[in-house]
């Protein structure tokens, strides 16, 4: 590790050569720009600051995003030294005091993860919420067929489900449902999905586990997304998994709704799901283009990097407001 003067650091303030100072520590974040959850432009806009740490805590700008401890931890792999005449302690002394403990078992990130996470026991909850911020996909299974089933590119979701939704609307029409009623049922299905989205995220995806099989199931269901939030191939639900959920909800809809309405209500629910999955991918990998998208992106990233016990809505915070889980 080196000792760098302020003049040295100021020579590295471009997108292709980006050094930053955080509380007297110097980091070369050039390779991290594209992996930054908020987009590379966020860091690029901060390169002129002589202490990005204050920006990361939001202390220089009340409107700025306040970063979590996990965000500061992510910086450590890019640490290259200390600022000359810095009043802060050396990084080694801080690390020896603050290095997180995860119990007796250590997960080897170079090996398939699914068979390992169950061994963490009670330490799994802490481990899974210490995110690794990079766009590389970790390996889940040794078996290549199983591994491929866990990876889905985002555009597969609309490609698979939008034609199916159209077919469901056609079925309702053939059963005598009028156009106005089709629209009403479709909107009803989207609303039902929005509540389901919130409820599943809050009560199923964030259930606390500690046993081997419960940890493993949770990791496959949602824990992997919190551990590797920028993994673009495990951001959307594989169609096969979605079919499993449909096999549960379709009999319920068919038993409660009139025969001609049931397919369109299901179609509305699937449409809500497609909107959810595409929006979710955008929140992690898209570039915010207006105030609404910036606010929604910040809202979701706060759930990942600050407090995973609140902010369960993805497409909106409506149900968070209703049930008191706003950050």
């Amino acid at each position: 590790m080196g000792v760098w003067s302020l003049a040295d650091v100021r020579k590295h303030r471009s997108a292709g050569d980006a050094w930053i100072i955080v509380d007297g520590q110097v980091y070369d974040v050039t390779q991290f720009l594209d992996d930054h959850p908020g987009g590379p432009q966020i860091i690029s806009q901060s390169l002129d600051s002589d202490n990005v740490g204050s920006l990361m805590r939001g202390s220089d700008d009340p409107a700025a995003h306040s970063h979590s401890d996990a965000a500061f931890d992510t910086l450590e792999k890019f640490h290259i030294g200390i600022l000359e005449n810095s009043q802060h302690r050396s990084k080694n002394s801080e690390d020896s005091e603050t290095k997180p403990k995860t119990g007796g078992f250590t997960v080897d990130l170079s090996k398939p993860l699914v068979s390992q996470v169950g061994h963490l026991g009670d330490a799994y909850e802490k481990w899974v919420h210490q995110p690794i911020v990079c766009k590389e996909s970790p390996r889940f299974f040794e078996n290549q067929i199983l591994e491929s089933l866990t990876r889905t590119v985002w555009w597969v979701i609309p490609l698979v489900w939008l034609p199916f939704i159209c077919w469901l609307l056609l079925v309702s029409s053939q059963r005598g449902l009028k156009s106005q009623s089709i629209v009403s049922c479709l909107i009803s299905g989207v609303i039902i999905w929005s509540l389901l989205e919130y409820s599943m995220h809050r009560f199923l995806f964030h259930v606390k586990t500690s046993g081997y099989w419960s940890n493993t199931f949770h990791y496959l269901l949602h824990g992997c997304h919190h551990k590797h939030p920028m993994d673009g191939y495990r951001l959307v639900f594989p169609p096969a998994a979605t079919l499993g959920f449909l096999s549960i909800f379709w009999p319920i809809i068919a038993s409660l709704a009139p025969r001609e309405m049931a397919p369109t209500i299901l179609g509305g629910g699937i449409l809500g799901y497609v909107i959810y999955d595409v929006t979710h991918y955008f929140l992690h990998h898209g570039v915010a283009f207006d105030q609404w998208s910036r606010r929604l992106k910040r809202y979701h990233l706060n759930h990942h990097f600050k407090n995973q016990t609140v902010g369960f809505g993805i497409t909106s915070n409506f149900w968070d407001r209703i049930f008191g889980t706003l950050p």
Side-chain angles (χ1 to χ4, degrees), residues 38-41 282 285-290 293 297:
Q41 73 282 357
F282 165 78
H285 291 280
V287 177
F289 52 86
D290 60 12
S293 60
K297 190 177 181 76

Side-chain angles (χ1 to χ4, degrees), residues 174-195:
Q174 291 174 339
R175 292 178 179 180
L177 193 64
K178 302 301 181 183
S179 298
Q180 186 174 356
S181 297
I182 287 178
V183 173
S184 298
C185 289
L186 194 68
I187 294 173
S188 297
V190 171
I191 294 173
I192 291 170
W193 163 259
S194 71
L195 178 58

Side-chain angles (χ1 to χ4, degrees), residues 78-95:
F78 307 106
H79 185 240
I80 59 172
I82 190 170
L83 188 66
E84 188 178 56
N85 299 323
S86 171
Q87 299 300 310
H88 294 79
R89 293 180 295 167
S90 69
K91 206 66 209 162
N92 289 338
S93 66
E94 291 182 6
D95 287 347

Side-chain angles (χ1 to χ4, degrees), residues 106-160:
T106 300
V107 174
D108 186 344
L109 296 174
S110 67
K111 297 179 179 180
L113 298 179
V114 171
S115 61
Q116 299 185 66
V117 296
H119 294 295
L120 286 167
D122 292 335
Y124 169 77
E125 177 73 14
K126 180 178 181 180
W127 176 84
V128 83
H129 289 117
Q130 294 172 330
I132 298 173
V133 184
C134 68
K135 293 180 181 178
E136 296 178 1
S137 292
R139 191 168 184 89
F140 277 17
F141 295 100
E142 192 70 44
N143 183 281
Q144 188 56 43
I145 296 177
L146 290 177
E147 178 69 11
S148 65
L149 291 175
T150 69
R151 297 170 183 251
T152 308
V153 293
W154 73 268
W155 48 261
V156 165
I157 303 307
L159 184 68
V160 169

Side-chain angles (χ1 to χ4, degrees), residues 208-245:
K208 292 186 178 182
T209 62
S210 59
Y212 179 87
W213 291 111
S214 58
N215 284 351
T216 302
F217 175 75
H218 180 268
Y219 183 77
L220 282 168
L221 182 67
H222 192 63
C224 61
H225 177 53
H226 272 265
K227 188 63 181 178
H228 300 271
M230 302 305 290
D231 181 353
Y233 292 103
R234 296 189 176 99
L235 254 173
V236 297
F237 258 69
T242 306
L243 279 174
F245 282 103

Side-chain angles (χ1 to χ4, degrees), residues 2 40 49 76 84 99 143 150 164 169 190-191 238 255:
S49 172
E76 296 318 305
E84 188 178 56
K99 186 175 181 180
N143 183 281
T150 69
F164 183 60
L169 301 187
V190 171
I191 294 173
S255 65

Side-chain angles (χ1 to χ4, degrees), residues 267-313:
I270 298 174
L271 178 60
Y273 156 71
V274 171
I275 295 170
Y276 152 81
D277 246 355
V278 173
T279 300
H280 192 198
Y281 186 89
F282 165 78
L283 295 179
H284 284 267
H285 291 280
V287 177
F289 52 86
D290 60 12
Q291 186 175 357
W292 173 82
S293 60
R294 282 191 292 271
R295 184 165 58 245
L296 192 62
K297 190 177 181 76
R298 178 181 298 180
Y299 186 79
H300 184 60
L301 294 182
N302 278 344
H303 170 75
H304 274 279
F305 296 102
K306 290 188 68 176
N307 187 353
Q308 71 276 2
T309 65
V310 293
F312 298 103

